[in-house]
Amino acid sequence: MLNPALGIISRYRDRLPVTDKTPVVTLGEGATPLIRADRLAEYAGLPADSVYLKFEGSNPTGSFKDRGMAVAVSKALEEGARGVLCASTGNTAASAAAYAARAGLRCMVFLPKGGVALGKLAQALMHGAKIKEVKGSFDKALIAAFAEAKKSGFVAVNSSNPYRIEGQKTAAFEISEVLGRMPDYQFMPVGNAGNITAYWKGYRELKGSKPKMMGFQAAGAAPIVLGNPIPNPRTVASAIRIGNPYSWQAALRARDESNGVIAAVTDREILNAWRLLARLEGVFCEPSSAAGVAGLLKSGKKGHLSGKIVCILTGHGLKDPDTPLKIFKS
Ligand code: F0G
């Protein structure tokens, strides 16, 4: 096996849209741990050795975005881009800023004003991204970013960029390698819906029985569940505070082709799952990352889950130091 520290492009070169001419921009992303979570399984009423946590917080900038950004920024560099830009609830911005810095490209990020966790903002600043704050939700920031991409020629590295999806699909390969087969269920948060799209693409490229894709939106930001866009999405989980996801249709396809579910969990359920992960398993993810686990706890109680279950923990808890201090102050 190739040294995992070389990053996803080296490891999965034959399954990614790169050639010998593509300059590889990597920070050693991927090869994140798949953590067996027996105490969480027991809490959910499930047998030992059934629940695993894919901890994407241990990527170089602390979220799963690094997988997609490695490919998107490498391709932008190959194609002679002047710079990259994105709209973001924070993690995409942090990742784009870091990979652009490494590639020697300029980076511009459009952020919902007041809607980005502290650590993510600090990362974008530190890596030298030009920050544009947009009044309103992520959805408005995305419109502004697309308009700027048209005007400036900077490459948009949101999950609208197919190279992002290609990079992110590699997490499905890793899970299958570690388990020796694909899981039976995969629980994960859904925001702009790029990641559920990417995982499903990854699983589709493998041979064998595929997982049911179980996606969870926050109840105050659940357009896919409700079937219409939400003008003012609300949730404590700022990373998935999105009212009109770009990959809406692709997420529905992932759900339907896999016989899965896209459902909502309340902020209370998200925060409960988030705290349980920290206290039962020693795993500190950001609140949004716990939405899939909140969904698992709900489904586990109904008693129709079986086999191997993977929960995707999308980002590191240190991204958002304010939320624990606000919620668990005493
Ligand atoms: N979890 C975290 C920690 C995220 O940052 C995001 C999305 C998601 C889950 C949802 O993934 O959008 O592919 O469905 N963050 C984007 C951003 C929107 O700008 O960082 P998705």
Side-chain angles (χ1 to χ4, degrees):
M1 186 182 145
L2 276 166
N3 178 359
L6 294 173
I8 57 148
I9 297 180
S10 300
R11 286 172 60 217
Y12 298 110
R13 167 170 289 279
D14 55 335
R15 294 187 252 179
L16 291 170
V18 293
T19 68
D20 292 347
K21 293 198 186 66
T22 311
V24 175
V25 182
T26 181
L27 287 162
E29 62 291 324
T32 55
L34 189 69
I35 303 166
R36 183 171 149 168
D38 281 357
R39 276 157 61 76
L40 182 69
E42 188 183 353
Y43 184 91
L46 294 162
D49 201 18
S50 64
V51 176
Y52 292 79
L53 309 169
K54 179 68 170 162
F55 189 46
E56 289 288 278
S58 67
N59 274 300
T61 78
S63 86
F64 70 97
K65 307 287 180 177
D66 294 345
R67 295 178 184 275
M69 216 50 80
V71 181
V73 172
S74 295
K75 293 301 283 188
L77 193 60
E78 181 178 5
E79 288 158 10
R82 293 173 54 219
V84 294
L85 60 73
C86 65
S88 181
T89 55
N91 280 326
T92 302
S95 185
Y99 281 79
R102 190 150 172 86
L105 291 172
R106 290 160 64 194
C107 179
M108 198 185 295
V109 299
F110 293 77
L111 308 177
K113 195 172 164 58
V116 173
L118 191 64
K120 305 173 188 181
L121 205 51
Q123 287 177 290
L125 269 171
M126 192 66 192
H127 293 302
K130 187 166 181 184
I131 295 178
K132 306 264 192 189
E133 291 192 304
V134 178
K135 261 201 192 143
S137 67
F138 166 87
D139 309 285
K140 286 221 172 105
L142 189 60
I143 293 168
F146 284 158
E148 180 67 29
K150 238 186 191 166
K151 208 166 67 187
S152 66
F154 277 30
V155 171
V157 291
N158 279 103
S159 53
S160 50
N161 182 321
Y163 299 129
R164 279 276 313 281
I165 304 295
E166 290 294 320
Q168 284 171 214
K169 79 182 178 189
T170 59
F173 301 159
E174 289 179 10
I175 291 170
S176 308
E177 283 161 23
V178 173
L179 291 180
R181 64 174 177 93
M182 285 176 264
D184 297 287
Y185 291 88
Q186 175 163 306
F187 286 78
M188 64 190 301
V190 173
N192 213 25
N195 209 28
I196 193 168
T197 304
Y199 269 101
W200 185 237
K201 183 164 200 295
Y203 287 127
R204 270 192 356 246
E205 290 179 12
L206 298 173
K207 284 203 184 77
S209 170
K210 304 190 192 317
K212 291 187 168 48
M213 302 299 287
M214 313 290 280
F216 291 86
Q217 301 199 290
I224 298 178
V225 180
L226 297 175
N228 50 268
I230 311 284
N232 292 306
R234 281 171 208 272
T235 167
V236 67
S238 61
I240 54 172
R241 197 180 288 145
I242 293 176
N244 193 11
Y246 182 84
S247 298
W248 189 322
Q249 293 310 319
L252 291 180
R253 274 200 302 280
R255 178 194 69 183
D256 296 343
E257 289 174 14
S258 72
N259 285 318
V261 164
I262 296 181
V265 282
T266 64
D267 276 8
R268 212 190 156 97
E269 289 167 332
I270 290 173
L271 293 173
N272 181 47
W274 178 57
R275 186 175 48 181
L276 279 170
L277 282 165
R279 298 195 180 178
L280 288 180
E281 297 292 0
V283 176
F284 186 25
C285 62
E286 58 176 289
S288 303
S289 301
V293 176
L296 170 68
L297 295 178
K298 254 184 164 169
S299 317
K301 291 210 175 86
K302 287 184 197 143
H304 40 231
L305 294 177
S306 61
K308 298 277 185 212
I309 298 166
V310 172
C311 299
I312 312 302
L313 303 185
T314 45
H316 203 291
L318 293 173
K319 291 272 191 176
D320 185 2
D322 287 331
T323 304
L325 298 182
K326 256 186 246 156
I327 293 184
F328 306 120
K329 227 183 344 213
S330 52

